[in-house]
Amino acid sequence: MSSRTPAPPEAIAPRRAHALQCDGAVLVDVREPAERALGAPETGLVLPLADIEAGRVQALPRGALILTLCARGQRSQRAASRLRELGFEDAASIQGGFAAWREAGLPEAARGDDDFAERYLRHLLLPEIGEHGQRRLAAARVVLVGAGGLGSPVGLYLAAAGVGRVRVVDNDRVERSNLQRQVLHTEARVGMAKVESAARALKALNPGIVVETVDARLDSTNVEAVLEGAEVVVDGADNFPTRYLLSDACVRLRVPMVYGAVYRFEGQAAVFDAGRHRGEAPCYRCLFPDPPPAEAAPDCATVGVLGVLPGLVGMVQATETLKLLLGLGEPLIGRLLHVDALGMRFRETRLRPDPDCPVCAPGREFPGYIDYERFCAA
């Protein structure tokens, strides 16, 4: 140990701390990786507070002056106190933390991807996601079928979450009556193709993602090409032919389908993943072997829908999509979530795979695509 007077236990001002560091003191950053991604001193050791509190301090040199640093000075005080308990008598905290260090204009390490660290900070702080999970989202590919009421919240939240490539499929144009619930679109874009309007909104929210557009109606001749490369398919369609087609294609391509539907004041959401889990998870046909007659299931243009309801169901779909991509939690596989907006009640129905399902029964060859318009009209 040098002849320098040991540091007192109270906090040391940043400029004084930097001078001591230049004179041989060891700066120890006790923050989490996500915090350091937004900025850090030019030199120093990294040792999270949890490690210090647990006594995992083998990396620290004995006999040196230790200066602990956190975001604003509170955690570093705890770290310094714990280090003194562990025998590091010359341990002190840097007053005001890194915020004061930066304000004092002291040297900082070169920063890498500033936008990534700052934009996704709240994800990076979650141990279940962290940098690895966020990079996983950046590499993900999702196909969103429908840029309407359900597709709007799904698209916005997937873009905000940093899903790297979103392919939006729709063949409609923006109408003024859409604006009551389809929040991707604006008054200025009435008459524009929905996929183009959606792409503008998503890129404005997160310029770092790739938005692909498919201005076409899905049918059996193009569905597999449109879904190519998808890790998750989100069903934001508003008609039964498209929904049955999507379900069959997802079984064939072994891709999970995140289902959502709204009607007046009620909604539903589920995850159908029979393609990857034959005999264990149902497909959409297991739930609805036959489409309901038109008079039993009129569309929103006929009976209306509460404007915020697609937002509620769409956010559930976005949540399930992120869970599937990150491998988190318990997806809505084999479960149908019912939403009653008027009573603000949620209930769940268990779903079982149909052992005689014409599409997803174990060992059954894919029967091929059918005329879904005729099937739903029959």
Side-chain angles (χ1 to χ4, degrees):
M1 181 69 183
S2 70
S3 59
R4 183 178 56 248
T5 303
E10 64 268 13
I12 295 177
R15 289 190 181 280
R16 173 61 178 157
H18 181 244
L20 291 171
Q21 185 188 18
C22 292
D23 195 29
V26 177
L27 186 150
V28 179
D29 193 333
V30 304
R31 296 174 299 161
E32 295 299 317
E35 297 175 277
R36 293 195 300 274
L38 293 176
E42 187 175 36
T43 59
L45 298 179
V46 174
L47 192 63
L49 176 61
D51 287 347
I52 294 174
E53 291 181 327
R56 296 188 289 268
V57 294
Q58 295 85 350
L60 299 185
R62 293 281 177 178
L65 171 59
I66 306 295
L67 303 173
T68 57
L69 176 137
C70 65
R72 297 193 176 275
Q74 288 78 25
R75 285 173 290 169
S76 59
Q77 285 274 21
R78 288 166 51 193
S81 296
R82 177 57 176 153
L83 286 172
R84 289 193 293 273
E85 292 175 0
L86 294 170
F88 294 85
E89 296 180 359
D90 294 349
S93 167
I94 298 178
Q95 186 177 38
F98 183 70
W101 182 280
R102 171 171 283 172
E103 187 175 347
L106 296 172
E108 295 185 34
R111 292 169 66 180
D113 188 345
D114 289 359
D115 180 78
F116 180 87
E118 188 168 3
R119 181 181 295 272
Y120 304 119
L121 176 60
R122 298 306 187 273
H123 271 182
L124 298 175
L125 291 171
L126 291 171
E128 296 85 353
I129 300 179
E131 182 175 356
H132 175 77
Q134 194 60 51
R135 299 289 183 192
R136 169 73 184 89
L137 291 179
R141 296 169 176 261
V142 173
V143 172
L144 173 57
V145 179
L150 293 171
S152 288
V154 173
L156 289 169
Y157 273 100
L158 294 186
V163 172
R165 190 175 294 268
V166 180
R167 185 176 301 152
V168 185
V169 186
D170 203 307
N171 69 328
D172 285 342
R173 294 190 170 271
V174 179
E175 299 177 1
R176 190 164 284 109
S177 62
N178 300 150
L179 304 181
Q180 163 250 15
R181 65 201 177 281
Q182 298 182 19
V183 294
L184 272 173
H185 313 300
T186 67
E187 175 74 23
R189 298 202 288 269
V190 169
M192 181 182 293
K194 281 188 177 179
V195 291
E196 176 60 26
S197 175
R200 292 191 185 188
L202 300 183
K203 291 290 287 185
L205 177 61
N206 190 344
I209 68 168
V210 175
V211 182
E212 301 172 348
T213 60
V214 180
D215 188 357
R217 185 177 179 87
L218 283 184
D219 59 34
S220 58
T221 67
N222 65 9
V223 64
E224 292 194 9
V226 170
L227 301 189
E228 183 181 5
E231 296 176 67
V232 178
V233 172
V234 182
D235 167 26
D238 60 358
N239 63 86
F240 286 106
T242 299
R243 190 160 287 147
Y244 279 99
L245 170 65
L246 269 184
S247 176
D248 290 359
C250 285
V251 172
R252 175 172 168 78
L253 299 175
R254 299 170 57 85
V255 179
M257 180 179 100
V258 181
Y259 158 74
V262 293
Y263 172 77
R264 290 172 52 82
F265 301 99
E266 299 178 6
Q268 297 178 343
V271 174
F272 296 109
D273 200 6
R276 299 189 300 177
H277 304 283
R278 290 287 186 104
E280 300 174 8
C283 73
Y284 182 73
R285 281 181 182 266
C286 296
L287 176 62
F288 298 113
D290 300 300
E295 62 273 13
D299 59 24
C300 295
T302 304
V303 300
V305 63
L306 181 66
V308 297
L309 180 61
L312 185 59
V313 175
M315 283 192 288
V316 172
Q317 290 181 277
T319 303
E320 292 301 301
T321 301
L322 294 178
K323 285 162 56 182
L324 289 167
L325 293 173
L326 292 168
L328 292 178
E330 183 184 355
L332 280 171
I333 297 174
R335 298 183 292 149
L336 181 68
L337 183 68
H338 303 260
V339 180
D340 171 9
L342 290 183
M344 197 46 71
R345 294 185 179 91
F346 296 79
R347 61 186 177 87
E348 189 179 286
T349 301
R350 289 284 176 175
L351 304 177
R352 297 184 180 277
D354 180 357
D356 295 319
C357 178
V359 175
C360 77
R364 180 159 294 169
E365 293 292 329
F366 183 68
Y369 299 108
I370 62 174
D371 185 336
Y372 294 92
E373 296 284 352
R374 179 177 295 178
F375 172 66
C376 291

